């Protein structure tokens, strides 16, 4: 618990933020497509390497949320991408959810998936240097949503995530 508290305090250091660099393959492909670039593993690596080599990044960023691919990637010269972050005092983290999906029986509402097998994935992520993780809950706000069931289902998923 001591390390968890230490990491949490570092992540919320005054005047700094957390960089979300955890775009899934479809999301980053859309971003690249908008500027005429084909999303390949090499292009994604080069993009992330450029971000993580930004001079003085550690003066403004305390942690970076990585996508699974990124946590396991090396730079063009073979350096693990997470080492670029660590060299600037930035804590590597990992997005662990598997996406927001429609909540069965509740049109327009979502539940985040990915709890199955998460205990084992946490072990793997930790062995590759991830020191914190991200889980999201997506709530649709309207006159009729979120429903109490959707709130309860998402709170339950967040609690299971936190317990793991």
């Amino acid at each position: 618990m001591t390390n968890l508290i230490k990491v949490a305090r570092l992540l919320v250091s005054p005047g700094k933020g957390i960089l979300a660099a955890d775009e899934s393959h479809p999301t980053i492909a859309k971003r690249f497509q908008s500027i005429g670039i084909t999303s390949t593993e090499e292009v994604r690596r080069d993009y992330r390497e450029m971000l993580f080599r930004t001079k003085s990044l550690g003066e403004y960023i305390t942690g970076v949320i990585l996508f699974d691919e990124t946590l396991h990637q090396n730079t063009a010269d073979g350096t693990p991408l997470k080492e670029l972050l660590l060299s600037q005092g930035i804590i590597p983290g990992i997005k662990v959810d598997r996406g927001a999906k429609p909540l069965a029986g509740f049109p327009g509402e979502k539940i985040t998936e990915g709890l199955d097998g998460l205990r084992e994935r946490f072990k793997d992520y930790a062995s590759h240097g991830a020191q914190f993780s991200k889980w999201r809950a997506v709530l649709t706000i309207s006159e009729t949503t979120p429903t109490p069931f959707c709130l309860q289902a998402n709170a339950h998923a967040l609690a299971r995530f936190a317990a793991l």
Side-chain angles (χ1 to χ4, degrees), residues 4 22 24 34 49 53 56 70 72 74 81 83 86 93 99 110 115 122 126 133 139 144 151 160 164:
L4 176 64
D22 61 338
S24 65
S34 73
E49 182 176 348
R53 286 194 189 277
S56 304
T70 315
H72 297 92
N74 294 329
L81 282 172
E83 294 299 327
L86 291 168
K110 297 187 180 290
L115 290 166
F122 269 143
S133 60
L139 302 174
T144 58
L151 290 172
R160 288 183 58 203
L164 289 169

Side-chain angles (χ1 to χ4, degrees), residues 111-130:
I111 187 72
T112 304
E113 295 183 346
L115 290 166
D116 292 342
L118 184 55
R119 183 183 320 270
E120 292 74 28
R121 286 189 290 130
F122 269 143
K123 290 176 187 172
D124 178 62
Y125 294 143
S127 75
H128 284 91

Side-chain angles (χ1 to χ4, degrees), residues 2-150:
T2 304
N3 191 51
L4 176 64
I5 292 168
K6 178 183 171 191
V7 169
R9 285 187 176 142
L10 287 170
L11 288 173
V12 296
S13 296
K16 292 186 175 188
I18 298 171
L19 174 63
D22 61 338
E23 302 95 342
S24 65
H25 292 151
T27 300
I28 203 165
K30 281 187 222 171
R31 290 182 188 196
F32 286 159
Q33 183 181 21
S34 73
I35 56 173
I37 297 173
T38 301
S39 179
T40 65
E41 184 177 355
E42 182 180 4
V43 167
R44 292 188 300 272
R45 181 209 61 213
D46 290 347
Y47 169 71
R48 292 167 177 146
E49 182 176 348
M50 176 196 64
L51 283 176
F52 302 163
R53 286 194 189 277
T54 299
K55 184 178 179 188
S56 304
L57 186 66
E59 292 179 30
Y60 308 98
I61 301 296
T62 56
V64 175
I65 306 165
L66 304 172
F67 186 60
D68 184 89
E69 174 183 72
T70 315
L71 184 64
H72 297 92
Q73 272 181 326
N74 294 329
T75 64
D77 70 9
T79 306
L81 282 172
K82 66 181 173 273
E83 294 299 327
L84 295 182
L85 300 173
L86 291 168
S87 71
Q88 293 203 53
I90 299 171
I91 304 166
I94 185 74
K95 172 187 154 188
V96 297
D97 71 71
R98 300 286 172 123
K101 308 291 186 206
L103 180 60
F106 293 84
E109 295 193 284
K110 297 187 180 290
I111 187 72
T112 304
E113 295 183 346
L115 290 166
D116 292 342
L118 184 55
R119 183 183 320 270
E120 292 74 28
R121 286 189 290 130
F122 269 143
K123 290 176 187 172
D124 178 62
Y125 294 143
S127 75
H128 284 91
Q131 297 180 44
F132 72 96
S133 60
K134 166 193 163 184
W135 184 275
R136 61 195 161 142
V138 178
L139 302 174
T140 302
I141 309 297
S142 74
E143 294 291 324
T144 58
T145 60
T147 61
F149 181 82
C150 179

